[in-house]
Amino acid sequence: MDTADIIQSIKSIEFESPTDKIIQQLKQLIVSGQLKPGDRLPAERVLAEKLGVGRSYVREAIRKLEFFGLLKTSPQSGTYVSGYSIKMIEGVLTDIINFNKDDFSALIEARYYMEINAARLAAMRRTEEDLALLRSAVEDYDLKVNSKQDAIQEDMFIHLRIANATKNSVFESMLLMLLPDMIRNIVEKKICGDNRGVKAMAEHHEILQAIADQDADAAGAAMAAHLDDIFRISKEVKLI
Amino acid sequence: MDTADIIQSIKSIEFESPTDKIIQQLKQLIVSGQLKPGDRLPAERVLAEKLGVGRSYVREAIRKLEFFGLLKTSPQSGTYVSGYSIKMIEGVLTDIINFNKDDFSALIEARYYMEINAARLAAMRRTEEDLALLRSAVEDYDLKVNSKQDAIQEDMFIHLRIANATKNSVFESMLLMLLPDMIRNIVEKKICGDNRGVKAMAEHHEILQAIADQDADAAGAAMAAHLDDIFRISKEVKLI
DNA sequence: AACCAATAATTGGTTAACCAAATGTAGGGT
DNA sequence: ACCCTACATTTGGTTAACCAATTATTGGTT
């Protein structure tokens, strides 16, 4: 067994962090009906004492839940349960916590579908400036590959430029969230073969051309073709 | 001007929080080359003192950057810059921080494309159990609508069940992240007309049927039809 | 009885202090 | 000269204390 693999499996022994435990407790409070939507949570100090843990952890748990829109805290007033969706909390709050970005094939798949749509939107909405930036990013990639250097960062940057051209901040942010983990996985799993770079170069140019032509269908198809390789590989990896 | 609107516009005066300022500073350190990928950050205490701010804020900033995969911190050792992507940090780190989920039309659009794909995947992969849960959720919705009650939570729950049936945790988490803001916006903007519920009921049943039949194309089409209304409305709202 | 003002208690925001583990270092033994 | 051990320092993890603002309460006035 490779050392890297051993480290991998060791990492997967997740100690449940205090924060996550607190989230579970809060969930229990809400599900059991002791805390209804719109209600105010007990003060941070009270929660901390009741749970037998420092206030920092309570605060961190609240922040996390706030990020996902489940709580809302107002200074000098209190933290409140957002009124909208109790059933949601009950059903799937657990899944939210970890946001398991380690499932590589899921990551790739999500990216696959999002990027195809992104390419289509970019083709429809790109400005001349977007196009210039994208072209520049593609050229940067070409230079690196032609000089036999590693170009994964430049690759990602191209996709980031496309995301930026969609003029949809949500799309962009989400792709942005996925990218670092994508890179990590690709590097770790050594997915990119040596001839991959050259092939990708041509594919990038096709995407670029389609976006330049403002041809959404062509852009989507070119992106799909571009991602197909890596998508297929990830599915094979899953089977191992 | 309505009181609610006034509050809305007041809220939009964003105080730059200490955390975000720190993130900006860290970005500057990395971009300027003083901090290269792989390097260790100065200790939290040092950073806090240097930035003239409490250590809590430094920790929070680091956590945020860690969530997005840009930093990695090991206990009793230090926080390190993840080596992969410096250009990414340079280009668009600013956008990441706020994750502007307030752009409603962007939110709807992102959801639109993601849900269509989710419906297709759900149709392909759903188990019998998934189907039973989905059917139950659809029935809950029908009951609420038929008794003239508000059913937005039940509506969301249906979509959550579909996301769950995709067997893709990334897809599921992302939709989960969007939902609370979707609900908030829909309620605030009073998008749902009175007859919407009845129409949606039929659409839900079409989606359910397609997923039951494991017909991906039909599921995608049904979902698109279902979301088209709200998508169109959101674009009109944008123009106002 | 109703209302208003002053004060006391409670809130989240922020900072400082403490802890155990890990690491770097110096010194003695081989 | 090398290596191993013991100690001091530094690390992130955790807790407790302090702060200003808000809210609840209480007492007095009309």
Side-chain angles (χ1 to χ4, degrees):
Chain A
M1 195 180 201
D2 194 323
T3 308
D5 296 337
I6 294 172
I7 292 173
Q8 185 83 1
S9 57
I10 289 175
K11 264 184 60 179
S12 69
I13 300 171
E14 304 163 2
F15 244 136
E16 199 162 322
S17 78
T19 304
D20 291 347
K21 284 186 191 170
I22 294 170
I23 291 181
Q24 293 295 346
Q25 293 271 0
L26 287 178
K27 175 188 169 185
Q28 193 54 39
L29 279 177
I30 295 173
V31 171
S32 72
Q34 293 181 57
L35 227 48
K36 292 186 183 65
D39 282 357
R40 200 183 70 183
L41 261 67
E44 294 181 356
R45 282 175 187 76
V46 178
L47 274 176
E49 196 186 356
K50 213 125 193 170
L51 296 170
V53 77
R55 194 153 76 99
S56 311
Y57 292 120
V58 174
R59 284 177 66 77
E60 195 180 328
I62 289 175
R63 286 285 162 84
K64 215 163 182 176
L65 258 24
E66 211 181 350
F67 178 79
F68 286 104
L70 267 36
L71 297 178
K72 175 74 186 168
T73 140
S74 308
Q76 271 70 41
S77 169
T79 300
Y80 299 81
V81 181
S82 333
Y84 307 119
S85 173
I86 183 170
K87 262 200 148 173
M88 222 176 79
I89 295 171
E90 181 176 350
V92 281
L93 184 57
T94 315
D95 305 332
I96 230 179
I97 299 166
N98 297 11
F99 192 177
N100 189 358
K101 288 190 277 193
D102 289 337
D103 184 345
F104 185 48
S105 61
L107 206 58
I108 294 278
E109 185 176 81
R111 181 203 178 193
Y112 179 80
Y113 290 109
M114 288 186 71
E115 287 240 47
I116 290 175
N117 287 324
R120 294 181 59 89
L121 288 174
M124 292 191 277
R125 296 178 188 166
R126 61 92 179 156
T127 63
E128 288 303 318
E129 192 191 351
D130 292 330
L131 192 59
L133 288 169
L134 177 59
R135 181 166 285 128
S136 162
V138 169
E139 284 166 4
D140 284 349
Y141 178 84
D142 293 353
L143 282 176
K144 282 268 186 162
V145 169
N146 283 332
S147 60
K148 312 286 188 199
Q149 287 180 282
D150 176 65
I152 191 165
Q153 288 186 29
E154 282 70 18
D155 192 341
M156 290 296 160
F157 204 58
I158 292 173
H159 292 278
L160 223 51
R161 285 294 181 213
I162 294 172
N164 188 250
T166 63
K167 301 285 179 293
N168 182 315
S169 63
V170 176
F171 247 107
E172 192 183 349
S173 294
M174 291 200 147
L175 279 169
L176 219 50
M177 284 179 56
L178 299 185
L179 279 183
D181 293 277
M182 294 272 313
I183 297 177
R184 185 171 51 77
N185 272 291
I186 289 174
V187 171
E188 276 176 8
K189 296 190 181 2
K190 302 182 187 60
I191 297 233
C192 290
D194 294 329
N195 58 341
R196 180 85 194 90
V198 182
K199 205 163 148 195
M201 223 167 73
E203 293 165 357
H204 284 157
H205 281 275
E206 267 196 54
I207 297 170
L208 174 62
Q209 190 58 47
I211 290 179
D213 296 342
Q214 302 187 303
D215 183 341
D217 290 333
M223 179 63 82
H226 177 52
L227 296 179
D228 264 343
D229 269 355
I230 198 167
F231 190 20
R232 186 168 36 70
I233 291 172
S234 80
K235 277 193 281 197
E236 287 165 10
V237 169
K238 192 183 180 180
L239 297 176
I240 295 173
Chain B
M1 194 180 204
D2 196 321
T3 307
D5 295 339
I6 293 172
I7 292 173
Q8 184 83 358
S9 57
I10 289 175
K11 266 182 61 179
S12 68
I13 300 172
E14 304 164 2
F15 249 130
E16 199 162 320
S17 80
T19 304
D20 290 346
K21 283 185 191 172
I22 293 171
I23 292 181
Q24 292 297 345
Q25 294 270 0
L26 288 178
K27 174 187 169 185
Q28 193 54 38
L29 279 177
I30 295 174
V31 171
S32 71
Q34 294 181 56
L35 226 49
K36 292 184 183 67
D39 283 357
R40 200 183 70 184
L41 263 67
E44 293 181 355
R45 283 175 186 75
V46 179
L47 274 175
E49 195 186 355
K50 213 125 193 172
L51 296 170
V53 76
R55 194 154 76 101
S56 311
Y57 292 121
V58 174
R59 284 177 67 78
E60 194 180 328
I62 289 176
R63 286 286 163 83
K64 217 164 181 174
L65 258 23
E66 209 180 351
F67 177 80
F68 286 104
L70 268 37
L71 297 178
K72 176 70 186 169
T73 142
S74 308
Q76 273 68 42
S77 170
T79 301
Y80 299 81
V81 180
S82 359
Y84 307 119
S85 174
I86 182 172
K87 262 201 143 169
M88 221 176 83
I89 295 171
E90 183 176 348
V92 282
L93 183 58
T94 316
D95 305 334
I96 229 179
I97 299 167
N98 296 9
F99 192 176
N100 188 359
K101 287 189 275 194
D102 289 335
D103 184 346
F104 185 48
S105 62
L107 206 59
I108 293 279
E109 185 176 83
R111 180 203 178 193
Y112 179 80
Y113 290 108
M114 289 186 69
E115 287 240 48
I116 290 174
N117 287 324
R120 295 181 57 91
L121 288 174
M124 292 189 279
R125 297 178 186 166
R126 60 92 180 156
T127 64
E128 289 303 318
E129 193 191 351
D130 292 330
L131 191 60
L133 288 171
L134 178 58
R135 180 166 286 128
S136 163
V138 169
E139 284 166 5
D140 285 349
Y141 178 86
D142 293 353
L143 281 176
K144 281 269 185 158
V145 169
N146 282 333
S147 59
K148 313 283 188 201
Q149 288 180 283
D150 176 63
I152 191 166
Q153 289 186 29
E154 281 71 18
D155 193 341
M156 290 296 161
F157 203 58
I158 292 173
H159 292 277
L160 223 50
R161 285 292 180 214
I162 294 172
N164 189 250
T166 63
K167 301 288 180 291
N168 182 315
S169 63
V170 176
F171 246 107
E172 191 182 350
S173 293
M174 291 199 147
L175 279 170
L176 219 50
M177 283 178 56
L178 299 186
L179 278 183
D181 293 275
M182 294 268 316
I183 298 177
R184 186 170 52 77
N185 272 291
I186 289 174
V187 171
E188 277 177 8
K189 297 189 179 5
K190 303 183 186 61
I191 296 235
C192 290
D194 294 330
N195 59 339
R196 180 85 194 88
V198 181
K199 207 163 146 195
M201 225 166 73
E203 292 166 357
H204 284 157
H205 280 276
E206 270 197 53
I207 297 171
L208 174 63
Q209 189 58 49
I211 291 178
D213 295 342
Q214 302 187 305
D215 183 341
D217 290 333
M223 180 62 82
H226 178 53
L227 295 178
D228 264 343
D229 269 355
I230 199 168
F231 190 20
R232 187 169 36 71
I233 292 171
S234 80
K235 277 193 281 197
E236 286 166 11
V237 168
K238 193 183 180 182
L239 297 177
I240 296 172

